Amino acid sequence: MAKAKIRELFPVCAALALGIGVLWLATDGFRALTEEGARRLHAAKSKPKLPAFVLEDMNGDVLRLGPDSGKDGKTTLVTFIYTTCPTLCQAGGGDIAKLRDRLREMRLDGGVRLLSVSFDPVRDHPQQLRLYAEQHGADGAVWTIARPSAEALGSVIDGFGVRVIPDGWGGYQHNSALHVVDGEGRLTGIFDTDDIDGVLNAVRDGT
Amino acid sequence: MRRPLLILSIAVFGSCVLFRQTLERDPVTHVLLLLPALAVAGWLMAVSLGRHRLRLREADANALTLLGVFAILFWMLPRYIDASLTNPLVEAAKFISVPLCIGAVLAVSWKATHPFLRGFLKANALSMLGVLAFLYIHAPVRICNSYLEVDQQRLGYGFLFVALALSLVWAVPLFFPADGGATPNKHLSGRATA
């Protein structure tokens, strides 16, 4: 009788094991329920190599990012913005300014640069980038604002795994995150822009 | 085989494929119309192909129902809603697994499932929809990278509406028992003598 009861439980236990197992695998052990979570986990775990990017900075100079940029071996902290953004990027800009000050305080600014990349290269010409730089105190010493060419935009966005969608009001919604790129052009971590301690720890571990 | 139901099932599935992009543009229609419609297509197919001929043991029905619930949980993960929009393989998996693993599986197993498990799952579905509604309305971040925050909030209210609707659909019949309230007791007394 008891044995028969236990046998009755077998299919349910098998279903539970199968179901929980599939969900476990599908969410990397319940750590990544969202695409953003999966993206961050992937960067931290497999540190994918980024393709080489050529950008134009706020002064109109060429700026390289990726494997062949690592001559100086600097870690680059990349965020994505569009300068006409009324909300997220302005707050994000404040976060980056705070991060720059902390880097200076900790004397890490020699090996680290901050880079805000516009994904709206048509409206964000260098003059517009300079305006944003002045507003947020990005003087190019540690923190630089840049844009890809319109043709390269897709490969930059895809390379970082960023998703940009029009908000229907002429603006965009996008991942507000800080991407850590090491001196060899590998994407080694992705953090919230206000997670300054997390970023600093990653920078210290990497340099 | 009940042909009209099979044709209806194919029509529902076909419409889902046909209007895929329109429905997926908005998270509310994606999650609250496309996914349920796919499940309904699978359910109708199972009914039309004669699910009554399958005589499931209760233990097997319980297990199948749990598998169906896990499939629902899987397709509630924002990660795979996002992925289905960019990865054609995930999209194909959605159009196959939702009808089969949710619709058809529950069509076959639900009625033979133990009433305690059914009640447990219904109660959990309501509370989970409530939690999801709260989360989607108040989350300070975007849960799906493919959708705007305002649409995420609309989906939250959608979850709330579905929770209210389901609680009515499931609770109201309890006050109007068609057979004098004998159904639950019959099952319990059946168990006692078994």
Side-chain angles (χ1 to χ4, degrees):
Chain A
M1 186 64 198
K3 243 185 197 165
K5 272 263 189 258
I6 288 168
R7 204 169 300 154
E8 289 285 280
L9 282 175
F10 179 74
V12 167
C13 292
L16 281 174
L18 181 66
I20 292 171
V22 167
L23 287 184
W24 170 271
L25 288 177
T27 57
D28 293 290
F30 300 115
R31 284 178 297 170
L33 306 185
T34 60
E35 187 185 78
E36 187 63 17
R39 191 172 83 93
R40 294 183 181 200
L41 205 61
H42 174 67
K45 220 165 45 178
S46 38
K47 309 191 189 312
K49 198 131 196 154
L50 292 168
F53 303 122
V54 180
L55 306 170
E56 179 185 25
D57 75 6
M58 57 208 181
N59 300 315
D61 296 332
V62 170
L63 194 152
R64 286 174 199 284
L65 185 65
D68 56 346
S69 70
K71 286 170 200 127
D72 54 4
K74 276 192 182 180
T75 301
T76 311
L77 305 178
V78 183
T79 50
F80 287 88
I81 57 158
Y82 66 108
T83 64
T84 44
C85 176
T87 52
L88 215 58
C89 317
Q90 306 302 336
D95 289 335
I96 306 302
K98 250 183 256 166
L99 179 59
R100 178 203 50 206
D101 296 342
R102 287 286 300 277
L103 284 170
R104 280 200 176 130
E105 269 169 40
M106 300 172 73
R107 302 191 183 284
L108 285 169
D109 55 332
V112 182
R113 60 179 172 179
L114 292 163
L115 179 61
S116 298
V117 178
S118 167
F119 51 76
D120 189 11
V122 176
R123 277 189 289 186
D124 286 342
H125 40 80
Q127 203 181 342
Q128 182 68 28
L129 297 179
R130 230 170 9 246
L131 205 67
Y132 181 88
E134 277 162 24
Q135 274 166 5
H136 289 92
D139 57 8
V142 179
W143 183 12
T144 309
I145 320 292
R147 66 169 184 174
S149 65
E151 304 84 64
L153 176 64
S155 75
V156 175
I157 285 182
D158 291 347
F160 279 89
V162 170
R163 200 85 84 81
V164 177
I165 49 173
D167 67 1
W169 300 90
Y172 303 94
Q173 279 197 358
H174 57 101
N175 324 44
S176 114
L178 212 138
H179 306 74
V180 182
V181 181
D182 72 3
E184 285 150 52
R186 290 178 308 173
L187 178 60
T188 59
I190 303 173
F191 298 86
D192 288 331
T193 53
D194 59 359
D195 183 11
I196 292 178
D197 292 325
V199 176
L200 289 174
N201 283 335
V203 167
R204 245 182 324 206
D205 293 346
T207 50
Chain B
M1 188 160 73
R2 289 147 80 180
R3 189 161 290 167
L5 281 183
L6 187 62
I7 292 169
L8 187 62
S9 159
I10 293 168
V12 172
F13 185 79
S15 321
C16 287
V17 175
L18 209 61
F19 298 110
R20 182 172 73 89
Q21 281 170 332
T22 316
L23 292 172
E24 287 176 348
R25 207 166 293 148
D26 183 337
V28 179
T29 50
H30 186 174
V31 174
L32 295 182
L33 192 59
L34 178 63
L35 293 180
L38 283 172
V40 165
W43 177 289
L44 288 172
M45 189 193 66
V47 173
S48 70
L49 294 180
R51 62 164 171 189
H52 55 276
R53 271 178 288 169
L54 275 175
R55 297 215 170 271
L56 281 183
R57 294 185 317 128
E58 191 182 84
D60 296 333
N62 291 344
L64 274 179
T65 293
L66 283 179
L67 286 182
V69 169
F70 277 114
I72 293 176
L73 288 177
F74 180 91
W75 285 113
M76 298 204 66
L77 292 172
R79 182 174 168 178
Y80 291 97
I81 293 298
D82 260 336
S84 75
L85 295 169
T86 47
N87 186 339
L89 275 179
V90 180
E91 179 75 339
K94 184 173 77 186
F95 273 79
I96 295 167
S97 71
V98 173
L100 291 183
C101 303
I102 299 174
V105 159
L106 290 180
V108 167
S109 69
W110 185 252
K111 276 198 175 145
T113 301
H114 193 290
F116 282 170
L117 182 57
R118 274 187 284 168
F120 174 80
L121 291 175
K122 282 178 177 177
N124 269 285
L126 293 182
S127 58
M128 194 176 64
L129 281 167
V131 170
L132 282 177
F134 179 81
L135 189 72
Y136 277 65
I137 293 168
H138 295 290
V141 292
R142 276 188 311 149
I143 295 167
C144 273
N145 279 348
S146 310
Y147 294 119
L148 299 174
E149 230 166 294
V150 281
D151 294 334
Q152 175 172 307
Q153 285 166 0
R154 278 174 41 241
L155 180 57
Y157 286 108
F159 282 139
L160 197 61
F161 178 78
V162 172
L164 290 174
L166 277 181
S167 64
L168 284 178
V169 168
W170 285 337
V172 167
L174 299 177
F175 297 100
F176 304 99
D179 50 2
T183 320
N185 296 334
K186 200 167 68 190
H187 189 95
L188 286 179
S189 59
R191 302 222 111 222
T193 53

